[in-house]
Amino acid sequence: MTAAAAYSAYKQNNIQIESPEKLIEMLYEGVLRFCSQAKKAIEANDIESRVHWTNRAIAIFAELIDSLDADKGGEVALYLEGLYNQQIKFLTECNVENSLEKLDIVINVTRGLLEAWRETIAK
């Protein structure tokens, strides 16, 4: 099963259970989990695992980009699209350069996004 197919099945199963707001939170948490696994792989010099986990995080950012609605979200949606694309760039560079620094950037940005999202939905 490809990562995209697995994610699609995961999303389909959870969509019936969770609200769209909760789903976004879960996606951010997924990025953090996958980046944590990629970090462990880099530290263990496990190239195959590093690529696997970073590609899973990239797939989530791609899905987040696809879910944006510029008509409804306006400038915020455009900002997030750019931010998500930048994270994909960092994850790709992490794969090429075996870079913990690039991975840490993605982790810090995603933590900030998750925190901001939780504050937004709590209101």
Side-chain angles (χ1 to χ4, degrees), residues 10-114:
Y10 168 80
K11 182 178 172 187
Q12 192 64 18
N13 288 333
N14 280 300
I15 255 177
Q16 297 164 357
I17 299 168
E18 304 290 345
S19 68
E21 293 81 12
K22 182 65 177 171
L23 184 58
I24 298 296
E25 181 178 0
M26 291 168 65
L27 290 172
Y28 288 147
E29 290 170 346
V31 168
L32 292 172
R33 264 193 321 276
F34 297 154
C35 286
S36 174
Q37 293 297 322
K39 194 171 195 174
K40 289 177 186 174
I42 289 172
E43 291 166 348
N45 203 27
D46 183 349
I47 296 167
E48 186 177 341
S49 290
R50 180 195 72 221
V51 170
H52 171 77
W53 294 114
T54 55
N55 284 343
R56 293 200 56 193
I58 288 169
I60 291 177
F61 279 117
E63 185 61 33
L64 286 165
I65 290 168
D66 288 343
S67 72
L68 294 172
D69 185 348
D71 292 335
K72 291 182 184 176
E75 289 183 27
V76 172
L78 292 173
Y79 173 80
L80 286 172
E81 181 179 7
L83 187 62
Y84 295 157
N85 277 314
Q86 184 66 40
Q87 302 322 295
I88 290 171
K89 179 179 179 251
F90 285 139
L91 288 165
T92 302
E93 291 171 353
C94 170
N95 267 339
V96 172
E97 302 167 7
N98 200 37
S99 171
L100 279 173
E101 295 81 21
K102 302 287 171 100
L103 196 55
D104 284 337
I105 292 169
V106 174
I107 290 169
N108 289 333
V109 168
T110 305
R111 279 187 186 139
L113 287 166
L114 178 57

